[in-house]
Amino acid sequence: MARQKFVCGNWKLHKTVAEATALVKELAEGLAGDARVQVAVAPVFTSLPAVAQALAGSPIQLAAQDVHWETQGAFTGEVSAPLLADVGVKHVIVGHSERRQFFGETDETVRKKVGAVLAAGLRPIVCVGELLAEREAGRTLDVVGRQVRGGLAGLPSATLAAVTLAYEPVWAIGTGKTATTAQAQEVHAAIRAILRELGGAVADSIRIQYGGSVKPENAAELMSQADVDGALVGGASLKAKDFLAIVKGALR
Ligand code: 13P
């Protein structure tokens, strides 16, 4: 079954409002209304309204990098899914390995956030991936399987259709080391098998992105794999030329 490729730029903690709007204007011009690949960018919270405005009329969609699971209340420093929807966000990255490593994110908080994102009518991009030590110990599929099951626990299959998965091996993030196409495809196929267990036929329509040192030089080959349906791009998404080249790679 043909799945539309989905490429999302995760800008992490980079760019002022002026830099962010300048970048998306360049991206919008570069794509020139071409919507064959689904494209999104995830700026820092402070840039979301300005980037939404800069993207008006363009097929590029807005994503956020994180969310809190409650809608409102005494949760100092947090941002909720309805507030993200309010400024034009369509996708929310949940469970990024940097959140898991540095900010105490667990499969349980991921599950709560996924529920909150879906309840607000938004689409979660759920990140999973093993540490280098886990891969070396032969535990990759166990770890990733536990993260997928934990993060999606209890979701009805109709709702699962709105979810995107992102397989990001932690050892490949920001290191310049990319998983080989075979390593990526193996894990992606395993994730899809779990999605099939959880949701039946809907698994065939769920996009599974690869993330971890995706660059113009390796993007096309990675996304040529049967179960690699796009990319979640960090460093290379900060430059219009590189990000546009990666999006082009999804078409080959
Ligand atoms: P890099 O592309 O910089 O390795 O980051 C990947 C990532 O974490 C995207 O979410």
Side-chain angles (χ1 to χ4, degrees), residues 75-100:
F75 303 104
T76 302
E78 296 295 334
V79 174
S80 69
L83 295 186
L84 293 175
D86 184 45
V87 296
V89 166
K90 297 278 177 266
H91 308 272
V92 184
I93 298 169
V94 177
H96 191 279
S97 66
E98 287 148 18
R99 304 291 326 163
R100 294 179 192 257

Side-chain angles (χ1 to χ4, degrees), residues 10 12 96 98 168 172-175 211-214 232-236:
N10 173 11
K12 306 190 179 181
H96 191 279
E98 287 148 18
E168 301 203 301
I173 295 179
T175 58
S213 298
V214 175
L232 187 56
V233 187

Side-chain angles (χ1 to χ4, degrees), residues 6-246:
F6 180 18
V7 176
C8 181
N10 173 11
W11 295 357
K12 306 190 179 181
L13 186 44
H14 294 285
K15 296 200 183 285
T16 62
V17 172
E19 290 163 349
T21 49
L23 175 54
V24 287
K25 280 184 185 152
E26 239 186 294
L27 293 178
E29 272 166 29
L31 281 177
D34 187 339
R36 283 176 293 170
V37 177
Q38 188 176 1
V39 178
V41 292
V44 295
F45 289 134
T46 48
S47 291
L48 288 172
V51 169
Q53 211 169 13
L55 287 177
S58 136
I60 302 173
Q61 298 173 329
L62 193 59
Q65 298 178 17
D66 190 25
V67 67
H68 185 56
W69 55 83
E70 295 288 349
T71 54
Q72 58 176 20
F75 303 104
T76 302
E78 296 295 334
V79 174
S80 69
L83 295 186
L84 293 175
D86 184 45
V87 296
V89 166
K90 297 278 177 266
H91 308 272
V92 184
I93 298 169
V94 177
H96 191 279
S97 66
E98 287 148 18
R99 304 291 326 163
R100 294 179 192 257
Q101 268 183 294
F102 307 131
F103 303 100
E105 191 88 84
T106 63
D107 293 338
E108 175 59 16
T109 57
V110 170
R111 194 194 57 73
K112 291 206 271 191
K113 290 179 178 190
V114 167
V117 167
L118 291 167
L122 304 180
R123 292 166 171 261
I125 298 174
V126 181
C127 302
V128 298
E130 81 287 2
L131 303 170
L132 182 59
E134 292 166 336
R135 174 162 285 269
E136 285 174 344
R139 295 181 47 222
T140 298
L141 298 183
D142 280 355
V143 169
V144 169
R146 192 203 66 225
Q147 291 171 335
V148 172
R149 289 175 202 281
L152 303 181
L155 282 188
S157 64
T159 324
L160 262 185
V163 174
T164 294
L165 271 293
Y167 169 54
E168 301 203 301
V170 178
W171 49 270
I173 295 179
T175 58
K177 277 186 217 149
T178 316
T180 64
T181 50
Q183 283 172 327
Q185 171 57 26
E186 181 196 19
V187 179
H188 282 233
I191 292 173
R192 196 169 315 280
I194 295 172
L195 293 173
R196 201 163 285 124
E197 263 176 53
L198 296 176
V202 83
D204 292 321
S205 63
I206 296 176
R207 270 84 56 84
I208 308 175
Q209 298 171 323
Y210 169 80
S213 298
V214 175
K215 321 174 242 244
E217 303 78 57
N218 58 27
E221 199 190 334
L222 283 160
M223 290 187 274
S224 71
Q225 299 300 297
D227 289 291
V228 180
D229 309 310
L232 187 56
V233 187
S237 71
L238 299 172
K239 289 203 184 107
K241 189 166 153 276
D242 288 353
F243 190 64
L244 289 167
I246 290 168

